[in-house]
Coordinates of all heavy atoms in Angstrom, one line a residue:
M262 N 78.7 139.6 -75.3 CA 79.0 138.1 -75.1 C 78.8 137.7 -73.6 O 79.3 138.5 -72.7 CB 80.4 137.8 -75.6 CG 80.7 136.4 -75.7 SD 82.3 135.9 -76.4 CE 81.8 136.1 -78.1
S263 N 78.3 136.6 -73.3 CA 78.1 136.2 -72.0 C 79.3 135.6 -71.4 O 80.4 135.5 -72.0 CB 77.1 135.1 -72.0 OG 77.5 133.9 -72.7
Q264 N 79.3 135.3 -70.1 CA 80.4 134.8 -69.4 C 80.5 133.3 -69.5 O 79.5 132.6 -69.7 CB 80.3 135.2 -67.9 CG 80.3 136.6 -67.6 CD 80.3 136.9 -66.1 OE1 80.6 136.1 -65.3 NE2 79.7 138.0 -65.7
P265 N 81.7 132.7 -69.2 CA 81.8 131.3 -69.2 C 80.9 130.7 -68.1 O 80.6 131.3 -67.1 CB 83.3 131.0 -68.9 CG 84.0 132.3 -69.2 CD 83.0 133.4 -68.9
F266 N 80.5 129.5 -68.4 CA 79.6 128.8 -67.4 C 79.7 127.3 -67.6 O 80.3 126.7 -68.5 CB 78.1 129.1 -67.6 CG 77.5 128.8 -68.9 CD1 76.9 127.6 -69.1 CD2 77.7 129.7 -70.1 CE1 76.3 127.3 -70.4 CE2 77.2 129.3 -71.3 CZ 76.5 128.2 -71.5
T267 N 79.3 126.5 -66.5 CA 79.2 125.1 -66.6 C 77.7 124.7 -66.8 O 76.9 125.4 -66.3 CB 79.8 124.5 -65.2 OG1 81.1 124.8 -65.1 CG2 79.6 123.0 -65.2
A268 N 77.6 123.6 -67.6 CA 76.3 123.1 -67.8 C 76.3 121.6 -67.4 O 77.3 120.9 -67.6 CB 75.8 123.2 -69.3
I269 N 75.2 121.0 -66.9 CA 75.1 119.7 -66.6 C 73.8 119.2 -67.3 O 72.7 119.6 -67.0 CB 75.0 119.4 -65.1 CG1 76.3 119.8 -64.4 CG2 74.8 117.9 -64.9 CD1 76.3 119.7 -62.9
A270 N 74.0 118.4 -68.3 CA 72.8 117.8 -69.0 C 72.6 116.4 -68.4 O 73.5 115.6 -68.2 CB 73.1 117.7 -70.5
T271 N 71.3 116.2 -68.0 CA 70.8 114.9 -67.5 C 70.0 114.3 -68.6 O 69.0 114.9 -69.0 CB 70.0 115.1 -66.2 OG1 70.8 115.9 -65.2 CG2 69.6 113.8 -65.6
L272 N 70.3 113.0 -68.9 CA 69.5 112.3 -69.8 C 69.2 110.9 -69.2 O 70.1 110.2 -68.8 CB 70.4 112.1 -71.1 CG 70.8 113.2 -71.9 CD1 72.2 113.6 -71.5 CD2 70.6 113.1 -73.4
I273 N 67.9 110.6 -69.1 CA 67.5 109.3 -68.6 C 67.0 108.4 -69.8 O 66.1 108.9 -70.5 CB 66.4 109.5 -67.5 CG1 66.7 110.5 -66.5 CG2 66.0 108.2 -66.9 CD1 67.9 110.2 -65.6
A274 N 67.6 107.3 -69.9 CA 67.2 106.4 -71.0 C 65.9 105.7 -70.7 O 65.5 105.5 -69.5 CB 68.3 105.3 -71.2
K275 N 65.1 105.4 -71.7 CA 63.9 104.6 -71.5 C 64.4 103.2 -71.1 O 65.5 102.8 -71.4 CB 63.1 104.5 -72.8 CG 62.4 105.9 -73.2 CD 61.6 105.8 -74.5 CE 61.0 107.1 -74.8 NZ 60.2 106.9 -76.1
A276 N 63.5 102.5 -70.4 CA 63.8 101.2 -70.0 C 64.4 100.3 -71.1 O 63.9 100.3 -72.2 CB 62.5 100.4 -69.5
G277 N 65.6 99.7 -70.8 CA 66.2 98.9 -71.8 C 67.0 99.5 -72.8 O 67.6 98.9 -73.7
Q278 N 67.1 100.8 -72.8 CA 67.7 101.6 -74.0 C 69.0 102.2 -73.5 O 69.7 102.9 -74.3 CB 66.8 102.7 -74.4 CG 65.5 102.2 -75.0 CD 65.7 101.2 -76.2 OE1 66.6 101.5 -77.1 NE2 65.1 100.1 -76.3
Q279 N 69.5 102.0 -72.2 CA 70.7 102.6 -71.8 C 72.0 102.3 -72.6 O 72.8 103.2 -72.8 CB 71.0 102.4 -70.4 CG 71.3 101.0 -69.9 CD 70.1 100.3 -69.4 OE1 69.0 100.7 -69.6 NE2 70.3 99.3 -68.6
D280 N 72.1 101.1 -73.1 CA 73.3 100.7 -73.9 C 73.3 101.5 -75.3 O 74.3 102.1 -75.7 CB 73.4 99.3 -74.2 CG 73.7 98.5 -72.9 OD1 74.2 99.1 -71.9 OD2 73.5 97.3 -72.9
A281 N 72.1 101.6 -75.9 CA 72.0 102.3 -77.2 C 72.3 103.8 -76.9 O 72.9 104.5 -77.7 CB 70.7 102.0 -77.8
L282 N 71.7 104.4 -75.9 CA 71.8 105.8 -75.6 C 73.3 106.0 -75.3 O 73.9 107.1 -75.8 CB 71.0 106.2 -74.4 CG 71.0 107.8 -74.1 CD1 70.8 108.6 -75.3 CD2 70.2 108.0 -72.9
E283 N 73.9 105.2 -74.5 CA 75.4 105.5 -74.2 C 76.2 105.5 -75.5 O 77.1 106.3 -75.6 CB 75.9 104.3 -73.2 CG 77.3 104.5 -73.0 CD 78.0 103.4 -72.1 OE1 77.2 102.6 -71.5 OE2 79.2 103.3 -72.0
Q284 N 76.0 104.6 -76.4 CA 76.7 104.6 -77.6 C 76.5 105.9 -78.4 O 77.5 106.5 -78.8 CB 76.2 103.4 -78.5 CG 76.9 103.3 -79.8 CD 76.4 102.1 -80.7 OE1 75.5 101.5 -80.3 NE2 77.0 102.0 -81.8
H285 N 75.3 106.4 -78.4 CA 75.1 107.7 -79.2 C 75.8 108.9 -78.4 O 76.4 109.7 -79.0 CB 73.6 107.9 -79.3 CG 73.0 107.1 -80.3 ND1 73.2 107.2 -81.7 CD2 72.0 106.1 -80.2 CE1 72.6 106.3 -82.3 NE2 71.8 105.6 -81.4
L286 N 75.7 108.8 -77.1 CA 76.3 109.9 -76.3 C 77.9 109.9 -76.5 O 78.4 110.9 -76.6 CB 76.0 109.8 -74.8 CG 74.5 110.1 -74.5 CD1 74.2 109.7 -73.0 CD2 74.2 111.6 -74.7
R287 N 78.5 108.7 -76.5 CA 79.8 108.6 -76.6 C 80.3 109.2 -78.0 O 81.4 109.8 -78.1 CB 80.4 107.2 -76.6 CG 80.4 106.6 -75.2 CD 80.9 105.2 -75.2 NE 80.9 104.6 -73.9 CZ 82.0 104.7 -73.0 NH1 83.0 105.4 -73.3 NH2 81.9 104.2 -71.8
A288 N 79.4 109.0 -79.0 CA 79.8 109.6 -80.4 C 79.8 111.0 -80.4 O 80.4 111.7 -81.3 CB 78.8 109.0 -81.3
L289 N 79.2 111.8 -79.4 CA 79.2 113.2 -79.3 C 80.5 113.7 -78.8 O 80.8 115.0 -78.9 CB 78.1 113.7 -78.4 CG 76.6 113.4 -78.9 CD1 75.6 113.9 -77.9 CD2 76.5 114.1 -80.3
L290 N 81.3 113.0 -78.0 CA 82.4 113.5 -77.3 C 83.4 114.1 -78.2 O 83.8 115.3 -77.9 CB 83.1 112.3 -76.4 CG 82.2 111.8 -75.4 CD1 82.8 110.6 -74.7 CD2 81.7 112.8 -74.3
A291 N 84.0 113.5 -79.1 CA 85.1 114.0 -79.9 C 84.7 115.3 -80.7 O 85.4 116.2 -80.7 CB 85.7 113.0 -80.8
P292 N 83.7 115.2 -81.4 CA 83.2 116.4 -82.2 C 82.9 117.6 -81.4 O 83.2 118.8 -81.7 CB 82.0 116.0 -83.1 CG 81.5 114.7 -82.5 CD 82.7 114.0 -81.7
T293 N 82.3 117.4 -80.2 CA 81.9 118.4 -79.3 C 83.2 119.0 -78.7 O 83.4 120.3 -78.6 CB 80.9 118.0 -78.2 OG1 79.7 117.6 -78.8 CG2 80.5 119.2 -77.3
R294 N 84.1 118.3 -78.2 CA 85.3 118.7 -77.7 C 86.1 119.6 -78.6 O 86.9 120.4 -78.2 CB 86.1 117.6 -77.1 CG 85.6 116.9 -75.9 CD 86.3 115.7 -75.5 NE 85.7 115.2 -74.2 CZ 85.9 113.9 -73.9 NH1 86.7 113.1 -74.6 NH2 85.4 113.5 -72.7
A295 N 86.0 119.3 -79.9 CA 86.7 120.1 -81.0 C 86.0 121.5 -81.3 O 86.5 122.3 -82.0 CB 86.8 119.3 -82.2
E296 N 84.8 121.7 -80.7 CA 84.1 122.9 -81.0 C 84.7 124.1 -80.4 O 85.2 124.0 -79.2 CB 82.6 122.9 -80.5 CG 81.7 121.9 -81.3 CD 80.4 121.8 -80.7 OE1 79.8 122.8 -80.2 OE2 79.8 120.6 -80.7
A297 N 84.6 125.2 -81.1 CA 85.1 126.5 -80.4 C 84.3 126.8 -79.3 O 83.0 126.6 -79.2 CB 85.0 127.6 -81.5
G298 N 84.8 127.2 -78.1 CA 84.1 127.6 -77.0 C 83.8 126.4 -76.0 O 83.3 126.6 -74.9
C299 N 84.2 125.2 -76.4 CA 83.9 124.1 -75.5 C 85.3 123.8 -74.7 O 86.3 123.5 -75.3 CB 83.6 122.8 -76.2 SG 83.4 121.4 -75.2
G300 N 85.2 123.9 -73.4 CA 86.4 123.7 -72.5 C 86.3 122.3 -71.9 O 87.3 121.8 -71.4
Q301 N 85.1 121.8 -71.8 CA 85.0 120.4 -71.1 C 83.6 119.9 -71.6 O 82.6 120.6 -71.8 CB 84.8 120.6 -69.6 CG 84.7 119.2 -68.9 CD 84.5 119.5 -67.3 OE1 84.6 120.6 -66.8 NE2 84.3 118.4 -66.6
Y302 N 83.7 118.5 -71.9 CA 82.5 117.8 -72.3 C 82.8 116.4 -72.0 O 83.4 115.6 -72.7 CB 82.3 118.0 -73.9 CG 80.9 117.6 -74.3 CD1 79.9 118.5 -74.1 CD2 80.6 116.4 -74.9 CE1 78.5 118.2 -74.5 CE2 79.4 116.1 -75.4 CZ 78.3 116.9 -75.2 OH 77.0 116.6 -75.6
D303 N 82.3 116.0 -70.8 CA 82.6 114.7 -70.2 C 81.3 113.9 -70.0 O 80.3 114.5 -69.4 CB 83.4 114.8 -68.9 CG 84.7 115.4 -69.2 OD1 85.3 115.2 -70.3 OD2 85.2 116.1 -68.3
L304 N 81.3 112.6 -70.3 CA 80.1 111.8 -70.1 C 80.2 111.0 -68.8 O 81.3 110.3 -68.6 CB 79.9 110.8 -71.3 CG 78.8 109.8 -71.2 CD1 77.5 110.4 -71.1 CD2 78.9 108.9 -72.5
H305 N 79.2 110.9 -68.0 CA 79.2 110.1 -66.7 C 77.9 109.3 -66.7 O 76.9 109.7 -67.2 CB 79.2 111.0 -65.5 CG 80.4 111.9 -65.4 ND1 81.5 111.5 -64.7 CD2 80.7 113.1 -66.0 CE1 82.5 112.4 -64.9 NE2 82.0 113.4 -65.6
Q306 N 77.9 108.2 -66.0 CA 76.8 107.3 -65.8 C 76.5 107.2 -64.3 O 77.5 107.0 -63.5 CB 77.0 105.9 -66.5 CG 75.7 105.1 -66.4 CD 76.0 103.8 -67.2 OE1 77.1 103.3 -67.4 NE2 74.9 103.2 -67.7
D307 N 75.4 107.2 -63.9 CA 75.0 107.1 -62.5 C 75.3 105.7 -62.0 O 74.8 104.7 -62.6 CB 73.6 107.4 -62.3 CG 73.1 107.6 -60.8 OD1 73.6 106.8 -60.0 OD2 72.4 108.6 -60.6
L308 N 76.0 105.5 -61.0 CA 76.3 104.2 -60.4 C 75.1 103.5 -59.9 O 75.1 102.3 -59.8 CB 77.4 104.2 -59.4 CG 78.8 104.7 -59.9 CD1 79.8 104.9 -58.8 CD2 79.4 103.6 -60.9
N309 N 74.2 104.3 -59.3 CA 73.0 103.7 -58.7 C 71.8 103.6 -59.7 O 70.9 102.9 -59.4 CB 72.6 104.5 -57.5 CG 73.6 104.4 -56.4 OD1 74.1 103.4 -56.1 ND2 73.9 105.6 -55.9
N310 N 71.9 104.2 -60.8 CA 70.8 104.2 -61.8 C 71.5 104.2 -63.2 O 71.7 105.3 -63.8 CB 69.8 105.4 -61.7 CG 68.8 105.4 -62.7 OD1 68.6 104.4 -63.5 ND2 68.0 106.4 -62.7
P311 N 71.8 103.0 -63.7 CA 72.5 103.0 -65.1 C 71.8 103.5 -66.3 O 72.4 103.7 -67.3 CB 72.9 101.5 -65.2 CG 72.0 100.8 -64.3 CD 71.6 101.7 -63.2
Q312 N 70.5 103.9 -66.0 CA 69.7 104.5 -67.2 C 70.0 106.0 -67.2 O 69.6 106.7 -68.1 CB 68.2 104.3 -66.9 CG 67.9 102.7 -67.3 CD 66.5 102.6 -67.0 OE1 66.1 101.8 -66.1 NE2 65.6 103.2 -67.8
A313 N 70.7 106.5 -66.1 CA 70.9 108.0 -66.0 C 72.3 108.4 -66.5 O 73.2 107.9 -65.9 CB 70.7 108.4 -64.6
F314 N 72.4 109.4 -67.4 CA 73.7 109.9 -67.9 C 73.7 111.3 -67.7 O 72.8 112.0 -67.7 CB 73.8 109.5 -69.4 CG 73.9 108.1 -69.7 CD1 72.7 107.4 -70.0 CD2 75.0 107.4 -69.8 CE1 72.7 106.1 -70.3 CE2 75.0 106.0 -70.0 CZ 73.9 105.4 -70.3
Y315 N 75.0 111.8 -67.4 CA 75.2 113.2 -67.2 C 76.4 113.7 -68.1 O 77.3 113.0 -68.1 CB 75.6 113.5 -65.7 CG 74.6 112.9 -64.8 CD1 74.6 111.7 -64.3 CD2 73.4 113.8 -64.4 CE1 73.7 111.2 -63.4 CE2 72.5 113.3 -63.6 CZ 72.6 112.0 -63.0 OH 71.6 111.5 -62.2
M316 N 76.1 114.8 -68.8 CA 77.2 115.4 -69.5 C 77.6 116.7 -68.6 O 76.8 117.5 -68.4 CB 76.7 115.9 -70.9 CG 76.6 114.8 -71.9 SD 78.2 114.2 -72.3 CE 77.8 113.4 -74.0
I317 N 78.9 116.7 -68.3 CA 79.5 117.8 -67.6 C 80.2 118.6 -68.6 O 81.1 118.2 -69.3 CB 80.4 117.3 -66.5 CG1 79.8 116.3 -65.5 CG2 80.9 118.6 -65.7 CD1 78.5 116.6 -64.9
E318 N 79.7 119.8 -68.8 CA 80.2 120.7 -69.9 C 80.6 122.1 -69.4 O 80.1 122.6 -68.4 CB 79.0 121.0 -70.9 CG 78.2 119.7 -71.3 CD 77.0 120.0 -72.0 OE1 76.9 121.1 -72.7 OE2 76.1 119.0 -72.1
H319 N 81.6 122.6 -70.0 CA 82.0 124.0 -69.7 C 82.1 124.7 -71.1 O 82.7 124.2 -72.1 CB 83.4 124.1 -69.0 CG 83.7 125.4 -68.6 ND1 83.2 126.1 -67.5 CD2 84.5 126.4 -69.1 CE1 83.7 127.2 -67.4 NE2 84.5 127.5 -68.4
W320 N 81.3 125.9 -71.1 CA 81.2 126.7 -72.3 C 81.8 128.0 -72.1 O 81.6 128.7 -71.0 CB 79.8 126.7 -72.8 CG 79.3 125.3 -73.2 CD1 78.6 124.5 -72.4 CD2 79.6 124.7 -74.4 NE1 78.4 123.3 -73.1 CE2 79.1 123.4 -74.3 CE3 80.4 125.0 -75.6 CZ2 79.1 122.4 -75.4 CZ3 80.4 124.1 -76.6 CH2 79.8 122.8 -76.5
S321 N 82.4 128.7 -73.1 CA 83.0 130.0 -72.9 C 81.9 131.1 -73.0 O 82.1 132.2 -72.5 CB 84.0 130.2 -74.1 OG 83.4 130.1 -75.4
S322 N 80.7 130.7 -73.6 CA 79.6 131.7 -73.7 C 78.3 131.1 -74.1 O 78.3 129.9 -74.5 CB 80.0 132.7 -74.8 OG 80.0 132.1 -76.1
D323 N 77.2 131.8 -74.0 CA 76.0 131.3 -74.4 C 75.9 131.1 -76.0 O 75.4 130.2 -76.4 CB 74.8 132.4 -74.2 CG 74.5 132.6 -72.7 OD1 74.6 131.6 -71.9 OD2 74.1 133.7 -72.3
E324 N 76.7 131.9 -76.7 CA 76.8 131.7 -78.2 C 77.5 130.5 -78.5 O 77.1 129.8 -79.5 CB 77.5 132.9 -78.7 CG 76.8 134.2 -78.6 CD 77.0 135.0 -77.3 OE1 77.8 134.5 -76.4 OE2 76.3 136.0 -77.1
A325 N 78.4 130.0 -77.7 CA 79.1 128.8 -78.0 C 78.2 127.6 -77.7 O 78.1 126.7 -78.5 CB 80.4 128.6 -77.1
L326 N 77.4 127.7 -76.7 CA 76.4 126.5 -76.4 C 75.4 126.5 -77.5 O 74.9 125.5 -78.0 CB 75.8 126.7 -75.0 CG 74.7 125.6 -74.8 CD1 75.3 124.2 -74.9 CD2 74.2 125.9 -73.3
Q327 N 74.9 127.7 -77.9 CA 73.9 127.8 -79.1 C 74.4 127.2 -80.3 O 73.7 126.5 -81.1 CB 73.5 129.2 -79.3 CG 72.6 129.8 -78.1 CD 72.4 131.3 -78.2 OE1 72.8 131.9 -79.2 NE2 71.8 131.8 -77.2
A328 N 75.7 127.5 -80.6 CA 76.3 126.9 -81.8 C 76.4 125.4 -81.7 O 76.1 124.6 -82.6 CB 77.8 127.5 -82.0
H329 N 76.7 124.9 -80.5 CA 76.8 123.5 -80.2 C 75.4 122.9 -80.5 O 75.3 121.8 -81.2 CB 77.2 123.2 -78.8 CG 77.0 121.8 -78.2 ND1 77.7 120.8 -78.8 CD2 76.1 121.4 -77.3 CE1 77.2 119.7 -78.1 NE2 76.4 120.0 -77.3
D330 N 74.4 123.5 -79.9 CA 73.0 123.0 -80.2 C 72.6 122.9 -81.5 O 71.8 122.1 -82.0 CB 72.0 123.9 -79.4 CG 72.1 123.6 -77.8 OD1 72.6 122.5 -77.4 OD2 71.6 124.5 -77.1
A331 N 73.1 123.9 -82.4 CA 72.8 123.8 -83.8 C 73.7 123.0 -84.7 O 73.5 122.8 -85.9 CB 72.9 125.3 -84.3
S332 N 74.7 122.4 -84.1 CA 75.7 121.6 -84.8 C 75.2 120.4 -85.5 O 74.1 119.8 -85.0 CB 76.9 121.3 -83.9 OG 76.5 120.2 -83.0
A333 N 75.8 119.9 -86.6 CA 75.3 118.8 -87.3 C 75.3 117.5 -86.4 O 74.3 116.7 -86.4 CB 76.2 118.5 -88.5
H334 N 76.3 117.4 -85.5 CA 76.3 116.2 -84.7 C 75.2 116.1 -83.6 O 74.7 115.0 -83.3 CB 77.8 115.9 -84.2 CG 78.4 117.0 -83.4 ND1 79.0 118.0 -84.0 CD2 78.4 117.2 -82.0 CE1 79.4 118.9 -83.0 NE2 79.1 118.4 -81.8
I335 N 74.9 117.2 -83.2 CA 73.8 117.3 -82.1 C 72.4 117.1 -82.9 O 71.7 116.4 -82.4 CB 73.8 118.6 -81.4 CG1 75.0 118.6 -80.4 CG2 72.5 118.9 -80.6 CD1 75.0 117.6 -79.3
Q336 N 72.3 117.7 -84.0 CA 71.1 117.5 -84.8 C 70.9 116.0 -85.2 O 69.8 115.4 -85.1 CB 71.0 118.3 -86.0 CG 70.9 119.8 -85.7 CD 69.9 120.3 -84.8 OE1 68.7 119.8 -85.1 NE2 70.2 121.0 -83.8
N337 N 72.0 115.3 -85.6 CA 72.0 114.0 -85.9 C 71.7 113.1 -84.6 O 70.9 112.2 -84.7 CB 73.3 113.6 -86.5 CG 73.4 112.1 -87.0 OD1 72.5 111.8 -87.8 ND2 74.3 111.4 -86.6
F338 N 72.3 113.5 -83.5 CA 72.0 112.7 -82.3 C 70.5 112.8 -81.9 O 69.9 111.8 -81.5 CB 72.9 113.4 -81.1 CG 72.4 113.0 -79.7 CD1 72.8 111.7 -79.3 CD2 71.5 113.7 -79.0 CE1 72.4 111.3 -78.0 CE2 71.2 113.3 -77.7 CZ 71.6 112.0 -77.2
R339 N 69.9 114.0 -82.1 CA 68.5 114.1 -81.7 C 67.6 113.2 -82.6 O 66.7 112.7 -82.2 CB 68.1 115.6 -81.8 CG 68.7 116.4 -80.7 CD 68.2 117.9 -80.8 NE 68.8 118.7 -79.7 CZ 69.2 119.9 -79.7 NH1 69.2 120.5 -80.9 NH2 69.7 120.5 -78.7
A340 N 68.1 113.2 -83.9 CA 67.2 112.4 -84.9 C 67.4 110.9 -84.6 O 66.4 110.2 -84.6 CB 67.7 112.7 -86.3
L341 N 68.6 110.5 -84.2 CA 68.9 109.1 -84.0 C 68.5 108.6 -82.6 O 68.0 107.5 -82.4 CB 70.3 108.7 -84.3 CG 70.8 108.9 -85.7 CD1 72.3 108.7 -85.7 CD2 70.2 108.0 -86.6
A342 N 68.7 109.4 -81.5 CA 68.6 108.9 -80.1 C 67.4 109.5 -79.4 O 67.1 109.1 -78.3 CB 69.8 109.2 -79.4
G343 N 66.7 110.4 -80.0 CA 65.6 111.0 -79.3 C 64.5 110.1 -78.8 O 64.1 110.3 -77.7
D344 N 64.2 109.0 -79.6 CA 63.3 108.1 -79.0 C 63.8 107.1 -77.9 O 63.1 106.4 -77.3 CB 62.8 107.2 -80.2 CG 61.9 107.9 -81.1 OD1 61.4 109.0 -80.8 OD2 61.8 107.4 -82.3
L345 N 65.1 107.2 -77.6 CA 65.7 106.4 -76.5 C 65.6 107.2 -75.2 O 65.9 106.6 -74.2 CB 67.2 106.2 -76.8 CG 67.4 105.5 -78.2 CD1 69.0 105.4 -78.4 CD2 66.8 104.2 -78.3
I346 N 65.3 108.4 -75.2 CA 65.4 109.3 -74.0 C 64.0 109.5 -73.3 O 63.1 109.9 -73.9 CB 65.9 110.7 -74.4 CG1 67.4 110.5 -74.9 CG2 65.9 111.6 -73.1 CD1 67.9 111.8 -75.6
E347 N 64.0 109.1 -72.0 CA 62.7 109.2 -71.3 C 62.6 110.7 -70.7 O 61.6 111.3 -70.6 CB 62.8 108.3 -70.0 CG 61.6 108.3 -69.2 CD 60.3 107.8 -69.8 OE1 60.5 106.8 -70.6 OE2 59.2 108.3 -69.4
H348 N 63.8 111.2 -70.3 CA 63.9 112.6 -69.7 C 65.2 113.3 -70.0 O 66.2 112.6 -70.1 CB 63.8 112.5 -68.2 CG 63.9 113.7 -67.4 ND1 63.0 114.7 -67.4 CD2 65.0 114.2 -66.7 CE1 63.4 115.7 -66.6 NE2 64.7 115.4 -66.2
F349 N 65.1 114.6 -70.2 CA 66.2 115.4 -70.5 C 66.1 116.7 -69.7 O 65.0 117.3 -69.6 CB 66.4 115.8 -72.0 CG 67.4 116.8 -72.2 CD1 68.8 116.4 -72.4 CD2 67.2 118.2 -72.4 CE1 69.8 117.3 -72.6 CE2 68.2 119.0 -72.6 CZ 69.5 118.6 -72.7
D350 N 67.2 117.1 -69.1 CA 67.2 118.4 -68.4 C 68.6 119.0 -68.6 O 69.6 118.3 -68.6 CB 67.0 118.2 -66.9 CG 66.8 119.5 -66.2 OD1 66.1 120.3 -66.5 OD2 67.7 119.6 -65.2
L351 N 68.7 120.4 -68.7 CA 69.9 121.1 -68.7 C 70.0 122.1 -67.6 O 69.0 123.0 -67.6 CB 70.1 121.8 -70.1 CG 71.4 122.5 -70.3 CD1 72.6 121.5 -70.4 CD2 71.4 123.3 -71.5
K352 N 71.0 122.1 -66.8 CA 71.2 123.0 -65.7 C 72.4 123.8 -66.1 O 73.4 123.3 -66.6 CB 71.5 122.4 -64.5 CG 70.5 121.5 -63.9 CD 69.3 122.3 -63.3 CE 68.3 121.3 -62.6 NZ 66.9 121.6 -62.8
R353 N 72.3 125.2 -66.0 CA 73.4 126.1 -66.3 C 73.9 126.6 -65.0 O 73.0 127.2 -64.2 CB 73.0 127.2 -67.3 CG 72.6 126.7 -68.6 CD 71.8 127.7 -69.4 NE 72.3 129.0 -69.2 CZ 73.1 129.6 -70.1 NH1 73.6 129.1 -71.2 NH2 73.5 130.9 -69.9
L354 N 75.1 126.6 -64.7 CA 75.7 127.0 -63.4 C 76.7 128.0 -63.5 O 77.6 128.0 -64.6 CB 76.3 125.7 -62.7 CG 75.4 124.5 -62.6 CD1 76.2 123.3 -62.2 CD2 74.2 124.7 -61.8
R355 N 76.9 128.9 -62.6 CA 77.9 129.8 -62.5 C 78.8 129.5 -61.3 O 78.3 129.1 -60.2 CB 77.6 131.3 -62.5 CG 76.8 131.7 -61.3 CD 76.4 133.2 -61.3 NE 75.5 133.5 -60.3 CZ 75.9 134.1 -59.1 NH1 77.2 134.4 -59.0 NH2 75.0 134.3 -58.2
A356 N 80.1 129.6 -61.5 CA 81.1 129.2 -60.4 C 81.1 130.4 -59.4 O 81.1 131.6 -59.8 CB 82.5 129.0 -60.9
L357 N 81.1 130.1 -58.1 CA 81.1 131.1 -57.1 C 82.5 131.3 -56.5 O 82.8 132.3 -55.8 CB 80.1 130.8 -56.0 CG 78.6 130.9 -56.4 CD1 77.7 130.4 -55.3 CD2 78.2 132.2 -57.0
A358 N 83.4 130.3 -56.7 CA 84.7 130.4 -56.1 C 85.6 129.6 -57.1 O 85.2 128.8 -57.7 CB 84.8 129.9 -54.7

């Protein structure tokens, strides 16, 4: 089993789609926070670029993140919101101190 880690997901909404994307992202918060292995799952919006959203996540293991990616609510999100997203990136980080 892997070590705990932090992930930062960056999602950039297509022009004019930030409100719709925000609504879909907010719907992920409660079910994801209830998942085994999820220690943090917080949504942020860039103050200088309101089309940019960041999920700050903490996972207990790679397996926990993989289970999250396969969950029904994430699959539903991808089906409903995929066309609203211009760019997606996921950074995995390890704490040094």
Side-chain angles (χ1 to χ4, degrees):
M262 187 175 281
S263 65
Q264 297 182 26
F266 63 94
T267 298
I269 300 175
T271 303
L272 299 99
I273 309 296
K275 289 181 179 177
Q278 298 300 318
Q279 65 259 23
D280 292 341
L282 181 57
E283 179 182 349
Q284 180 180 2
H285 288 293
L286 290 169
R287 285 180 179 274
L289 296 175
L290 296 174
T293 299
R294 289 173 177 161
E296 290 179 38
C299 179
Q301 177 183 1
Y302 197 77
D303 297 328
L304 176 61
H305 299 267
Q306 186 175 30
D307 192 318
L308 292 173
N309 295 314
N310 178 7
Q312 289 177 244
F314 296 91
Y315 304 91
M316 282 293 196
I317 311 300
E318 312 172 20
H319 187 78
W320 296 99
S321 63
S322 66
D323 289 328
E324 294 81 8
L326 180 57
Q327 290 169 3
H329 166 69
D330 286 341
S332 68
H334 56 275
I335 289 297
Q336 296 304 312
N337 188 50
F338 168 79
R339 288 180 179 142
L341 295 173
D344 289 341
L345 306 175
I346 299 169
E347 181 72 31
H348 173 78
F349 173 81
D350 182 56
L351 181 71
K352 301 281 190 227
R353 294 165 39 95
L354 310 168
R355 67 180 170 100
L357 297 177

